[in-house]
Amino acid sequence: MLRTSITLAIAIFTATPALRAQQVQVDQKSGTWSYLSANGGKPVALTGGETIRIDSRDSLQVKVVNSNSALYACTLDQAESKVPELEAFRAALTTFGPYLSNVLSLATVPQVSANVFGMTIDRDKLNMIEDSMRGGSGRSDQAERARRAAEAALRAMDDYLFGPQGLNATRLAVFDALNGMRTAEGDRILGLATGVRTAACPAAGCGSQTLASRAVTLLSEAAEAHRNLRPYVETLPLTGPGLNASLGKLQSDAEALTATAYRTEQLVRIVAEAKPEVECGAVRVRQNSGRSLSIAVGQRGMAETDRVATLPARKLKLEAQPRFRIRPTAGLAFLYVPRASYAVPGTKTFTGGPVIDSVSTQDSRFTFAVTLGVALTDRVGPVQLPFSIGPEVVANPSTDTRAIGVGLGGTVFSAIKFGAGVLWTRHKVLSQGQQFGQTLPAADHLRTRDTYGRGRFYFGGALTAWPLVKL
C-alpha cells in the first residue's frame, strides 16, 4: 500500500506536457550512434551504456540511416528495468520507519535459372503442344474438349513461368535490382525500388492476384484438366500420352513451384519497399519503470539479399528511464549540527546523598544520515542547469544515536547535494520533575526519559543516487 501511494504521488507531481519524439540514430555506413533530443539541438554521440530520459507521454524513436531496408534489418529488444531514483527512494524510506514510530511514542515530537529451389521446369514438355497436332478419327467431343483444356492449362502455366512478365522474368528483375543496390545510396535506392513495383505478378490474366495466388489458381486448373484428360488418353494418338505426361510432371512440381512463387513475391515486396532508412521501432516508459534496450542492425537473413549486403553489423545497448519534472533524490549525507551536545543525567555521591548531575556529554555535532527528498528538474528545455533545489528529510540510521530532520537541499552536477535545516536528535532528559542539583534518597530514584527535544540547526553535504550521465 505504501509503495503504491509513493508511486501514485510521484506520477502526479511529475506529469509533464507531451513533447515531440526523441530519436536514437545509427549511421550504418560510418557506425556512428547519436541521440537527437525532442527540443532539437546538436546531436549527442552515443557509445553505449547511456541513460536517456523520456517523457512518459512521449516515445523514443530508433532509426538507421545510410542503410537499405531491402538488405538490412533492425531489431530492438526491450526489457523492463527498475528506476534507480525510485528504488533508492524506497530503500531510503524504509530507514525512516523506526523513527516514525519512535517519534510518535514520545511527547515532544518535531541466384536465377530454370532450376529454382529444387524445382526443374521442363519447358520442352510444356511447349510440346503443337497447334498442328493430329486429331484421331472418331474422337468424341468430350475427348476434344479435354484435350483443348489440357493444352490451355499448359499454355497458361508456360506464360506464367516464362512470359515477358512471368515468374522467371520477375525473379531476374528483382535480382537485377538487388545487384544494383549493392552500392546504391539515397535516391538511387528509391529508383531501383520503383523499377520492380510493377513486377508483382504477370500482367496476362493477373488482375489483383499475387504471384503466389496466381500459381495456385493455374495449378488447380491444370489438375482439373489432368483429371478430365485421363479417360481419353488412349483415344488421342501421340497427343494424349504427351499431354498426360506433361500435366503429371506439372503436378509433381506443384509444391516447389508454389514455394518459388511465394519466395519471389516476398523478394518483390522487400525490394519494392526499399528505402535508405530502416525503422527499428519506438520505446515508451512509465513513471515507475524504465526499459533496457538492445539495438542490433545487420543483414536481413535471406540468401538473395545477404549476398549483396556489404555493410557491417552494428550493436548498441542503452537504458531508457522516465524523465521527472520533480524528481526524487536519495543518498548518504554528512551533517554538522553545532549545538547538538547534550548533558547525560546521572548521579554523583556527596555527603548529603546522591545528587543529580551531568555524568557525561552526548556529542552529536558530527553525524551521518540518509537523505530523502525531491528536487526540481535541472533542465529547462534544451538548457542544462548546473543546480536544482528542493526539500529534504534526513535521518541517522544508527540504533544508538537517532536523529531526524527537515531542510532544504541544493543539488549540483546531478550528484552532489548541499543542505541545511533543523535536526532533532534523540537524547536523555530528566523526568517526573527532577532537576540537576537535586538530592535523591537513593541513586536508583533517578528518573529519565528519551526525547528529541528542540530542533538544532544543521548543514551538510550528500552524495545522491541520481545518475551522473543524463541526456
Side-chain angles (χ1 to χ4, degrees):
M1 181 64 183
L2 180 60
R3 179 176 294 185
T4 303
S5 301
I6 294 171
T7 302
L8 180 60
I10 293 174
I12 293 173
F13 283 107
T14 57
T16 56
L19 303 172
R20 69 183 181 87
Q22 303 169 83
Q23 193 173 104
V24 168
Q25 278 191 3
V26 54
D27 188 320
Q28 191 177 5
K29 189 174 182 180
S30 66
T32 302
W33 295 80
S34 58
Y35 164 78
L36 286 72
S37 70
N39 299 300
K42 188 177 180 180
V44 178
L46 299 173
T47 58
E50 291 88 351
T51 297
I52 297 177
R53 300 285 160 179
I54 311 175
D55 188 276
S56 60
R57 300 182 184 182
D58 197 17
S59 63
L60 176 69
Q61 305 291 332
V62 183
K63 179 186 291 187
V64 188
V65 298
N66 286 331
S67 183
N68 188 333
S69 62
L71 308 181
Y72 307 97
C74 179
T75 59
L76 173 60
D77 294 329
Q78 306 184 41
E80 188 172 345
S81 63
K82 296 180 179 179
V83 180
E85 296 79 14
L86 295 184
E87 293 303 308
F89 192 92
R90 289 166 180 157
L93 190 63
T94 59
T95 305
F96 291 81
Y99 293 90
L100 297 178
S101 59
N102 189 251
V103 169
L104 290 174
S105 67
L106 300 177
T108 55
V109 181
Q111 175 202 114
V112 175
S113 70
N115 187 324
V116 287
F117 293 95
M119 177 187 70
T120 303
I121 301 172
D122 192 339
R123 187 165 184 177
D124 292 336
K125 289 185 178 180
L126 292 175
N127 292 331
M128 66 178 294
I129 305 160
E130 300 177 3
D131 293 335
S132 60
M133 284 183 179
R134 290 187 305 160
S137 58
R139 184 183 310 144
S140 66
D141 292 339
Q142 291 86 348
E144 182 64 22
R145 284 195 295 269
R147 180 186 67 83
R148 291 177 179 176
E151 291 174 355
L154 288 173
R155 288 194 184 97
M157 182 58 69
D158 180 72
D159 183 64
Y160 171 81
L161 292 172
F162 304 107
Q165 290 182 311
L167 183 64
N168 190 51
T170 301
R171 288 175 60 82
L172 288 172
V174 171
F175 285 137
D176 184 62
L178 284 173
N179 280 325
M181 288 181 177
R182 186 189 300 270
T183 57
E185 298 181 2
D187 293 340
R188 175 61 177 158
I189 293 176
L190 299 176
L192 290 167
T194 304
V196 299
R197 287 175 187 163
T198 57
C201 62
C206 179
S208 60
Q209 288 183 311
T210 63
L211 280 168
S213 64
R214 180 62 176 162
V216 172
T217 299
L218 292 174
L219 285 169
S220 298
E221 293 174 353
E224 183 179 3
H226 192 196
R227 289 192 299 269
N228 295 336
L229 182 65
R230 287 176 185 174
Y232 309 108
V233 169
E234 299 301 327
T235 65
L236 297 173
L238 298 179
T239 303
L243 279 171
N244 190 57
S246 296
L247 289 168
K249 176 61 177 174
L250 182 60
Q251 295 305 303
S252 66
D253 286 339
E255 184 175 348
L257 191 151
T258 305
T260 302
Y262 276 112
R263 183 78 170 189
T264 304
E265 185 180 307
Q266 185 181 13
L267 286 171
V268 168
R269 186 179 299 109
I270 289 172
V271 177
E273 297 174 355
K275 297 178 182 178
E277 296 181 351
V278 180
E279 298 288 345
C280 293
V283 180
R284 292 186 179 273
V285 298
R286 296 179 295 177
Q287 286 292 346
N288 61 345
S289 66
R291 309 292 287 178
S292 295
L293 311 178
S294 180
I295 309 168
V297 185
Q299 295 178 350
R300 175 176 286 277
M302 296 181 66
E304 295 86 349
T305 60
D306 290 354
R307 68 185 179 86
V308 297
T310 58
L311 295 177
R314 310 291 184 186
K315 295 182 179 181
L316 192 72
K317 291 186 177 181
L318 297 169
E319 187 75 20
Q321 292 289 339
R323 177 189 287 120
F324 297 112
R325 191 182 186 117
I326 299 176
R327 61 176 174 84
T329 60
L332 181 63
F334 300 89
L335 309 178
Y336 175 55
V337 193
R339 297 175 58 198
S341 294
Y342 306 96
V344 179
T347 61
K348 292 183 179 179
T349 303
F350 293 93
T351 304
V355 178
I356 301 175
D357 200 352
S358 174
V359 296
S360 64
T361 300
Q362 177 184 325
D363 189 352
S364 301
R365 292 175 299 169
F366 298 92
T367 186
F368 69 97
V370 173
T371 176
L372 183 66
V374 294
L376 300 179
T377 181
D378 52 2
R379 180 183 290 273
V380 178
V383 179
Q384 177 76 44
L385 300 179
F387 65 90
S388 63
I389 196 168
E392 69 173 355
V393 180
V394 295
N396 187 310
S398 62
T399 57
D400 54 343
T401 302
R402 287 183 173 176
I404 187 168
V406 293
L408 194 64
T411 304
V412 295
F413 305 118
S414 300
I416 304 174
K417 183 169 73 172
F418 297 96
V422 179
L423 185 75
W424 289 265
T425 303
R426 190 178 68 173
H427 59 281
K428 290 186 179 297
V429 296
L430 293 168
S431 64
Q432 299 182 8
Q434 293 183 354
Q435 298 178 354
F436 284 99
Q438 179 181 342
T439 303
L440 300 174
D444 59 1
H445 281 226
L446 179 68
R447 298 292 182 265
T448 62
R449 63 182 175 87
D450 287 335
T451 182
Y452 284 88
R454 297 177 59 184
R456 298 288 191 265
F457 173 77
Y458 79 86
F459 64 89
L463 296 176
T464 70
W466 187 247
L468 292 174
V469 179
K470 178 162 57 66
L471 299 175

